[in-house]
Amino acid sequence: MPSPALNDLPCTRMTDDIVERINGEIHVWWSYLDQPAEVTDKCYEILSEPQRARISRYKTVQLRKRQTVSDGSLTSPVGGYLNEDPGHIELQFAKFGKPFLVRSAGGINLQFSVSHSSQIGVYAFARHRLIGVDVEE
């Protein structure tokens, strides 16, 4: 079952009103991480080389697929909020795996948090404020 919050995973259609509203709101998106191969492939296509390398180190195919969808489900809305092609979004990962932007486009101070548990991923976005999200089984 596809996630109602994301438009054709990975999120590829951000509307102007959603992007503008982030200026005073917190947006929370979610997705199922167990997706068909064509969705996982679309997600993989937009990931950076460091993201792909990190995912390749996961021990099982299932974990690699879920992380691919999770990273794609994060990268795509980040691209939408920054008005950039998701394939050009550069994410780095802190010591314990928390993703962050290498650079912020156009002075937009986009903050985000991601959490996943088993087959569910949750993504929170805000501007000019730190944010955190957590999901557990």
Side-chain angles (χ1 to χ4, degrees), residues 33 65-75 114 116 121 123:
L33 301 179
K65 287 179 178 180
R66 285 179 175 173
Q67 192 62 51
T68 297
V69 172
S70 180
D71 282 8
S73 298
L74 171 65
T75 302
V114 61
H116 42 82
Y123 317 87

Side-chain angles (χ1 to χ4, degrees), residues 95-110:
K95 182 178 179 181
F96 296 107
K98 180 175 172 56
F100 62 92
L101 283 170
V102 172
R103 61 178 178 74
S104 189
I108 297 173
N109 183 9
L110 181 68

Side-chain angles (χ1 to χ4, degrees), residues 20-75:
E20 288 174 15
R21 285 195 333 239
I22 190 88
N23 283 325
E25 298 179 351
I26 295 170
H27 293 181
V28 178
W29 302 68
W30 67 275
S31 69
Y32 286 113
L33 301 179
D34 291 332
Q35 293 288 332
E38 60 270 10
V39 173
T40 304
D41 292 346
K42 281 183 181 180
C43 289
Y44 187 82
E45 288 172 12
I46 65 170
L47 300 182
S48 67
E49 284 306 316
Q51 284 175 293
R52 292 175 181 182
R54 186 174 127 271
I55 289 168
S56 73
R57 294 189 293 269
Y58 281 66
K59 292 184 187 239
T60 69
V61 170
Q62 183 181 46
L63 289 175
R64 288 191 296 273
K65 287 179 178 180
R66 285 179 175 173
Q67 192 62 51
T68 297
V69 172
S70 180
D71 282 8
S73 298
L74 171 65
T75 302

Side-chain angles (χ1 to χ4, degrees), residues 84-103:
E84 287 193 18
D85 182 325
H88 296 137
I89 300 299
E90 296 179 62
L91 296 178
Q92 293 287 329
F93 297 87
K95 182 178 179 181
F96 296 107
K98 180 175 172 56
F100 62 92
L101 283 170
V102 172
R103 61 178 178 74

